[in-house]
Amino acid sequence: MSNSENSSLEHKFKGSIIFVSVLIPVAVALLFTIKLKDFGIEVAPLSFLPPIYASINAITALLLVMAVLAIKNGNKARHEKLMTLAIGCSVVFLVMYVAYHMTADATKYGDLNGNGILETAEATKAGFMRYIYFFILITHIILSIVIIPLVLFTYVRALADQFDRHKKIAKITFPIWLYVAITGVVVYLMISPYYVH
Protein backbone atom coordinates (compact mmCIF):
# COMPACT_ATOMS: atom_id res chain seq x y z
CA MET A 1 0.00 0.00 0.00
CA SER A 2 1.25 3.50 -0.79
CA ASN A 3 1.45 6.19 1.90
CA SER A 4 -1.55 8.02 0.46
CA GLU A 5 -3.60 4.79 0.44
CA ASN A 6 -2.54 4.11 4.02
CA SER A 7 -3.55 7.54 5.27
CA SER A 8 -6.82 7.37 3.34
CA LEU A 9 -7.65 4.07 5.10
CA GLU A 10 -7.41 5.79 8.48
CA HIS A 11 -9.32 8.79 7.12
CA LYS A 12 -11.98 6.43 5.74
CA PHE A 13 -12.56 4.87 9.17
CA LYS A 14 -12.22 8.08 11.21
CA GLY A 15 -15.93 8.94 11.12
CA SER A 16 -16.94 5.37 11.97
CA ILE A 17 -14.47 5.23 14.86
CA ILE A 18 -15.79 8.49 16.31
CA PHE A 19 -19.39 7.31 15.84
CA VAL A 20 -18.72 3.95 17.55
CA SER A 21 -16.73 5.67 20.31
CA VAL A 22 -19.76 7.82 21.15
CA LEU A 23 -22.41 5.16 20.47
CA ILE A 24 -21.01 2.46 22.79
CA PRO A 25 -20.88 4.54 26.03
CA VAL A 26 -24.26 6.15 25.29
CA ALA A 27 -25.85 2.76 24.51
CA VAL A 28 -24.36 1.19 27.65
CA ALA A 29 -25.55 4.12 29.79
CA LEU A 30 -29.07 3.81 28.33
CA LEU A 31 -29.13 0.03 28.72
CA PHE A 32 -28.11 0.46 32.36
CA THR A 33 -31.38 2.32 32.97
CA ILE A 34 -33.39 -0.52 31.40
CA LYS A 35 -34.37 -3.51 33.48
CA LEU A 36 -36.09 -6.36 31.64
CA LYS A 37 -38.54 -6.78 34.54
CA ASP A 38 -39.83 -3.24 33.85
CA PHE A 39 -41.12 -4.59 30.52
CA GLY A 40 -42.82 -7.58 32.11
CA ILE A 41 -39.95 -9.88 31.12
CA GLU A 42 -39.17 -11.96 34.17
CA VAL A 43 -35.60 -13.16 33.97
CA ALA A 44 -33.59 -14.32 36.94
CA PRO A 45 -30.51 -12.16 37.49
CA LEU A 46 -27.63 -13.58 35.48
CA SER A 47 -25.56 -13.88 38.64
CA PHE A 48 -23.19 -16.37 37.03
CA LEU A 49 -21.89 -13.67 34.65
CA PRO A 50 -19.78 -11.35 36.89
CA PRO A 51 -17.05 -13.93 37.64
CA ILE A 52 -16.99 -14.85 33.95
CA TYR A 53 -16.62 -11.29 32.68
CA ALA A 54 -14.09 -10.53 35.42
CA SER A 55 -12.10 -13.53 34.16
CA ILE A 56 -12.40 -12.17 30.61
CA ASN A 57 -10.87 -8.91 31.86
CA ALA A 58 -8.00 -10.92 33.39
CA ILE A 59 -7.53 -12.79 30.09
CA THR A 60 -7.55 -9.46 28.22
CA ALA A 61 -4.79 -8.12 30.49
CA LEU A 62 -2.75 -11.28 29.89
CA LEU A 63 -3.28 -11.07 26.11
CA LEU A 64 -2.14 -7.43 26.09
CA VAL A 65 1.08 -8.23 27.94
CA MET A 66 1.73 -11.25 25.68
CA ALA A 67 1.06 -9.11 22.59
CA VAL A 68 3.57 -6.48 23.68
CA LEU A 69 6.17 -9.15 24.41
CA ALA A 70 5.49 -10.69 20.98
CA ILE A 71 6.12 -7.43 19.11
CA LYS A 72 9.20 -6.69 21.21
CA ASN A 73 10.52 -10.07 20.08
CA GLY A 74 9.72 -9.20 16.45
CA ASN A 75 6.79 -11.62 16.12
CA LYS A 76 4.34 -9.39 14.24
CA ALA A 77 1.90 -12.19 13.28
CA ARG A 78 1.56 -13.36 16.90
CA HIS A 79 1.17 -9.76 18.08
CA GLU A 80 -1.65 -9.17 15.59
CA LYS A 81 -3.49 -12.36 16.61
CA LEU A 82 -3.19 -11.57 20.31
CA MET A 83 -4.43 -8.01 19.84
CA THR A 84 -7.39 -9.22 17.77
CA LEU A 85 -8.22 -11.70 20.57
CA ALA A 86 -7.97 -8.90 23.15
CA ILE A 87 -10.46 -6.80 21.16
CA GLY A 88 -12.75 -9.84 20.88
CA CYS A 89 -12.55 -10.40 24.64
CA SER A 90 -13.46 -6.76 25.26
CA VAL A 91 -16.54 -7.10 23.05
CA VAL A 92 -17.63 -10.32 24.83
CA PHE A 93 -17.06 -8.62 28.20
CA LEU A 94 -19.24 -5.67 27.18
CA VAL A 95 -22.13 -7.89 26.05
CA MET A 96 -22.03 -9.91 29.29
CA TYR A 97 -21.69 -6.79 31.45
CA VAL A 98 -24.76 -5.16 29.89
CA ALA A 99 -26.76 -8.43 30.03
CA TYR A 100 -26.04 -8.80 33.75
CA HIS A 101 -26.98 -5.21 34.56
CA MET A 102 -30.23 -5.47 32.57
CA THR A 103 -31.33 -8.36 34.80
CA ALA A 104 -29.92 -7.37 38.19
CA ASP A 105 -30.33 -4.40 40.53
CA ALA A 106 -27.25 -2.34 41.25
CA THR A 107 -25.08 -3.60 44.10
CA LYS A 108 -23.96 -1.04 46.67
CA TYR A 109 -20.46 -1.38 48.07
CA GLY A 110 -20.77 -2.17 51.77
CA ASP A 111 -24.42 -3.32 51.64
CA LEU A 112 -23.88 -6.42 53.78
CA ASN A 113 -27.54 -7.42 54.14
CA GLY A 114 -28.23 -6.96 50.40
CA ASN A 115 -31.35 -4.84 50.87
CA GLY A 116 -30.17 -2.18 48.40
CA ILE A 117 -29.80 0.45 51.13
CA LEU A 118 -26.41 1.35 52.57
CA GLU A 119 -27.16 1.85 56.23
CA THR A 120 -24.95 3.95 58.50
CA ALA A 121 -23.53 0.92 60.30
CA GLU A 122 -22.71 -0.74 56.95
CA ALA A 123 -21.04 2.43 55.62
CA THR A 124 -19.02 2.69 58.84
CA LYS A 125 -17.94 -0.94 58.58
CA ALA A 126 -16.91 -0.49 54.93
CA GLY A 127 -14.89 2.55 56.03
CA PHE A 128 -12.17 4.03 53.85
CA MET A 129 -12.28 1.05 51.48
CA ARG A 130 -15.47 2.54 49.99
CA TYR A 131 -13.48 5.56 48.81
CA ILE A 132 -10.77 3.35 47.34
CA TYR A 133 -13.44 1.27 45.60
CA PHE A 134 -15.12 4.37 44.14
CA PHE A 135 -11.78 5.81 42.99
CA ILE A 136 -10.93 2.58 41.17
CA LEU A 137 -14.46 2.25 39.77
CA ILE A 138 -14.67 5.86 38.51
CA THR A 139 -11.22 5.79 36.89
CA HIS A 140 -12.10 2.39 35.37
CA ILE A 141 -15.33 3.75 33.86
CA ILE A 142 -13.79 6.98 32.54
CA LEU A 143 -10.82 5.20 31.00
CA SER A 144 -13.03 2.46 29.52
CA ILE A 145 -14.72 5.24 27.52
CA VAL A 146 -11.41 6.87 26.57
CA ILE A 147 -9.93 3.54 25.44
CA ILE A 148 -12.52 2.86 22.72
CA PRO A 149 -11.24 5.36 20.11
CA LEU A 150 -7.63 4.72 21.15
CA VAL A 151 -7.95 0.97 20.49
CA LEU A 152 -9.76 1.51 17.20
CA PHE A 153 -7.29 4.11 15.87
CA THR A 154 -4.35 1.97 17.00
CA TYR A 155 -5.80 -1.06 15.22
CA VAL A 156 -6.62 0.82 11.99
CA ARG A 157 -3.12 2.30 11.84
CA ALA A 158 -1.69 -1.22 12.06
CA LEU A 159 -4.04 -2.40 9.29
CA ALA A 160 -2.94 0.57 7.19
CA ASP A 161 0.74 -0.34 7.72
CA GLN A 162 1.34 3.04 9.40
CA PHE A 163 3.60 1.43 11.95
CA ASP A 164 5.36 4.60 13.14
CA ARG A 165 2.00 6.21 13.92
CA HIS A 166 0.68 2.89 15.26
CA LYS A 167 3.62 2.62 17.66
CA LYS A 168 3.15 6.21 18.86
CA ILE A 169 -0.51 5.78 19.76
CA ALA A 170 0.04 2.21 21.07
CA LYS A 171 2.34 3.65 23.76
CA ILE A 172 -0.70 5.53 25.08
CA THR A 173 -3.30 2.84 24.35
CA PHE A 174 -1.49 -0.08 25.99
CA PRO A 175 -1.16 1.22 29.59
CA ILE A 176 -4.71 2.62 29.61
CA TRP A 177 -6.21 -0.60 28.22
CA LEU A 178 -4.15 -2.68 30.66
CA TYR A 179 -5.36 -0.48 33.55
CA VAL A 180 -9.00 -0.88 32.44
CA ALA A 181 -8.63 -4.67 32.18
CA ILE A 182 -6.90 -5.06 35.56
CA THR A 183 -9.20 -2.68 37.42
CA GLY A 184 -12.17 -4.56 35.95
CA VAL A 185 -10.96 -7.59 37.92
CA VAL A 186 -10.23 -5.50 41.03
CA VAL A 187 -13.70 -3.89 40.97
CA TYR A 188 -15.30 -7.34 40.71
CA LEU A 189 -13.23 -8.71 43.62
CA MET A 190 -14.14 -5.71 45.77
CA ILE A 191 -17.90 -5.70 45.03
CA SER A 192 -18.50 -9.47 44.84
CA PRO A 193 -18.93 -9.99 48.61
CA TYR A 194 -21.99 -7.72 48.41
CA TYR A 195 -23.77 -9.45 45.52
CA VAL A 196 -27.18 -10.85 46.44
CA HIS A 197 -27.37 -14.51 45.44
Side-chain angles (χ1 to χ4, degrees):
M1 249 189 244
S2 68
N3 284 340
S4 60
E5 284 174 321
N6 289 343
S7 58
S8 72
L9 183 65
E10 183 181 343
H11 184 72
K12 178 182 170 185
F13 283 106
K14 187 176 182 180
S16 299
I17 289 171
I18 292 167
F19 177 74
V20 168
S21 299
V22 172
L23 178 68
I24 291 174
V26 169
V28 169
L30 288 174
L31 289 170
F32 253 64
T33 65
I34 295 170
K35 298 291 181 218
L36 293 179
K37 64 183 178 184
D38 296 339
F39 295 94
I41 303 169
E42 289 302 322
V43 179
L46 304 174
S47 55
F48 63 92
L49 285 179
I52 295 171
Y53 63 65
S55 299
I56 289 172
N57 266 326
I59 291 165
T60 302
L62 187 62
L63 289 170
L64 291 172
V65 171
M66 288 168 59
V68 167
L69 292 174
I71 201 66
K72 282 185 184 293
N73 291 326
N75 195 335
K76 188 176 155 188
R78 183 181 166 106
H79 172 77
E80 189 179 325
K81 284 177 188 167
L82 290 167
M83 292 310 297
T84 303
L85 277 172
I87 291 171
C89 282
S90 294
V91 171
V92 171
F93 161 82
L94 188 61
V95 170
M96 288 184 174
Y97 186 74
V98 169
Y100 172 74
H101 285 282
M102 287 179 72
T103 62
D105 293 324
T107 302
K108 287 183 168 48
Y109 186 87
D111 183 15
L112 288 168
N113 62 14
N115 67 354
I117 300 165
L118 187 65
E119 292 150 13
T120 307
E122 291 173 324
T124 303
K125 189 165 185 178
F128 191 70
M129 285 305 292
R130 283 187 74 234
Y131 298 104
I132 294 171
Y133 170 77
F134 283 119
F135 173 79
I136 295 169
L137 178 65
I138 290 164
T139 56
H140 171 81
I141 291 169
I142 291 168
L143 291 175
S144 69
I145 294 167
V146 169
I147 199 63
I148 297 167
L150 286 173
V151 167
L152 295 175
F153 277 115
T154 305
Y155 197 71
V156 167
R157 286 180 184 179
L159 290 177
D161 295 332
Q162 295 183 324
F163 294 115
D164 286 345
R165 297 183 74 222
H166 168 79
K167 192 175 176 182
K168 250 183 218 176
I169 195 170
K171 285 181 179 178
I172 299 165
T173 304
F174 170 71
I176 296 174
W177 196 357
L178 187 62
Y179 179 85
V180 169
I182 291 170
T183 54
V185 178
V186 173
V187 164
Y188 165 73
L189 292 174
M190 292 183 81
I191 197 71
S192 61
Y194 305 107
Y195 282 137
V196 178
H197 298 289

